[in-house]
Amino acid sequence: ANTITLKTMYEEISILWRQDLKYRPNFSITDGKVNIPVIFAKVCGVKEDSESEYFNNIRKLVTEDTMVITKVPVIQQTDINPVKPYVTEFYRNRKLLRDKIKAHSSYQYGYIKEEVQDYILDKLELLINSQVIKGTFENGMEYTIIATVLNMKKEIVRMIQNFDFTKSNPKIIYILTSEDILSREDAIVTAFLNLVGYDIIMFVPTGYESEGRFYNSQIMERHEAGEYKYDLRAPDVSQFVPYTDRQTFFDKIFKRGR
């Protein structure tokens, strides 16, 4: 599958968000490839008159396959990563050495379907070669990208395996109300999941550059929704259950905000 980031008006996001991919503009299947229209957006400022209305409208976007993140960084550079010591063995001449990766003792995705493993590695290689992440091919950042993507939480990997390219896609909602910013690893995973086919939206009422310093360009579509607001406090993430009021396995996992 190939992802196509939709160019939208801010008001269109809520309309497209819950649509199956096959009903979105620019969806197509050509030569065995599925072209997936995805949302990858940052919404700055607050359009609504009240804080409660602002957060309630965000809550309406939560589906059964949505991760809601209200506290960053999620991934710290100091977190244990068993892949990291070996990454220089996994990449040569701008190509992933896939057989070596899959055979290595540190490889964590061998339990999922082979085609899904290949899909993850395809998008990992694309992320590196696109040089979206600052420092790629300059200071060894490509190896940090490999280590980060090959060490994702198993819940994310399961969501990727369950992903049907024609139906509703997995989603991430960031609600970033403070001065805290994404870590380098958070930025890598966010860019990677966009390539996989996730819908990702960041609500940043302050307008701060919560993610920008790790990207070589503005890869997210930016919407200026209203006046910048400071010192808002996001509700407890446990309140952001799917708007259908149906709780699933994933809701229980991600209600911690991680």
Side-chain angles (χ1 to χ4, degrees), residues 10 46-60 203 232 235 240:
Y10 167 60
V46 176
K47 181 178 181 179
E48 291 77 5
D49 293 332
S50 72
E51 181 177 337
S52 60
E53 184 181 1
Y54 175 70
F55 289 120
N56 189 52
N57 286 335
I58 295 174
R59 186 181 70 84
K60 291 178 181 178
F203 287 96
L232 296 185
F240 287 88

Side-chain angles (χ1 to χ4, degrees), residues 2 4-5 49 59 77 83 107 133 137 146 153 161-162 178 195-196 199 212 216 224 237 243 246:
N2 299 315
I4 303 167
T5 298
D49 293 332
R59 186 181 70 84
Q77 292 187 29
V83 182
Y107 182 61
I133 306 298
F137 303 132
I146 294 169
K153 292 179 180 295
Q161 173 157 281
N162 290 336
S178 71
L195 295 177
V196 166
D199 282 339
N216 277 319
E224 296 291 343
V237 75
Y243 195 61
R246 292 167 54 199

Side-chain angles (χ1 to χ4, degrees), residues 31-237:
D31 298 328
K33 291 282 187 181
V34 184
N35 295 309
I36 302 173
V38 299
I39 295 167
F40 194 33
K42 177 179 179 179
V43 178
C44 298
V46 176
K47 181 178 181 179
E48 291 77 5
D49 293 332
S50 72
E51 181 177 337
S52 60
E53 184 181 1
Y54 175 70
F55 289 120
N56 189 52
N57 286 335
I58 295 174
R59 186 181 70 84
K60 291 178 181 178
L61 298 177
V62 177
T63 70
E64 294 180 358
D65 291 325
T66 299
M67 298 169 59
V68 179
I69 297 171
T70 60
K71 184 175 177 55
V72 293
V74 177
I75 308 171
Q76 304 276 3
Q77 292 187 29
T78 55
D79 289 350
I80 295 173
N81 187 331
V83 182
K84 197 170 185 177
Y86 310 105
V87 289
T88 55
E89 304 174 24
F90 296 161
Y91 193 73
R92 293 283 187 280
N93 301 318
R94 302 203 174 191
K95 291 288 184 182
L96 288 173
L97 305 181
R98 298 174 184 234
D99 290 342
K100 180 169 283 192
I101 291 172
K102 290 180 178 181
H104 201 275
S105 60
S106 68
Y107 182 61
Q108 302 174 46
Y109 304 154
Y111 60 90
I112 60 176
K113 292 187 292 187
E114 190 78 21
E115 59 264 35
V116 179
Q117 296 181 50
D118 290 336
Y119 185 64
I120 289 172
L121 295 175
D122 285 346
K123 298 309 179 186
L124 171 55
E125 190 171 272
L126 177 60
L127 178 61
I128 296 168
N129 292 338
S130 68
Q131 297 181 251
V132 164
I133 306 298
K134 285 183 179 178
T136 306
F137 303 132
E138 293 176 7
N139 56 14
M141 182 60 71
E142 57 271 26
Y143 299 116
T144 300
I145 295 170
I146 294 169
T148 301
V149 171
L150 293 184
N151 190 49
M152 295 185 298
K153 292 179 180 295
K154 65 181 179 181
E155 292 81 12
I156 292 177
V157 179
R158 289 172 180 172
M159 292 176 81
I160 296 173
Q161 173 157 281
N162 290 336
F163 179 24
D164 183 325
F165 295 154
T166 66
K167 296 182 180 178
S168 178
N169 52 337
K171 304 174 192 297
I172 298 176
I173 298 174
Y174 286 95
I175 308 171
L176 306 178
T177 60
S178 71
E179 293 79 17
D180 294 335
I181 63 173
L182 274 67
S183 67
R184 177 182 61 189
E185 289 75 12
D186 291 342
I188 289 169
V189 171
T190 299
F192 170 77
L193 293 178
N194 165 248
L195 295 177
V196 166
Y198 273 57
D199 282 339
I200 301 171
I201 187 166
M202 288 186 184
F203 287 96
V204 188
T206 61
Y208 291 155
E209 292 301 312
S210 304
E211 82 302 330
R213 70 175 185 169
F214 296 109
Y215 298 134
N216 277 319
S217 59
Q218 186 172 303
I219 63 174
M220 307 183 79
E221 186 181 30
R222 183 178 176 117
H223 298 275
E224 296 291 343
E227 182 181 352
Y228 294 163
K229 299 283 188 180
Y230 305 97
D231 302 318
L232 296 185
R233 178 173 294 182
D236 188 282
V237 75

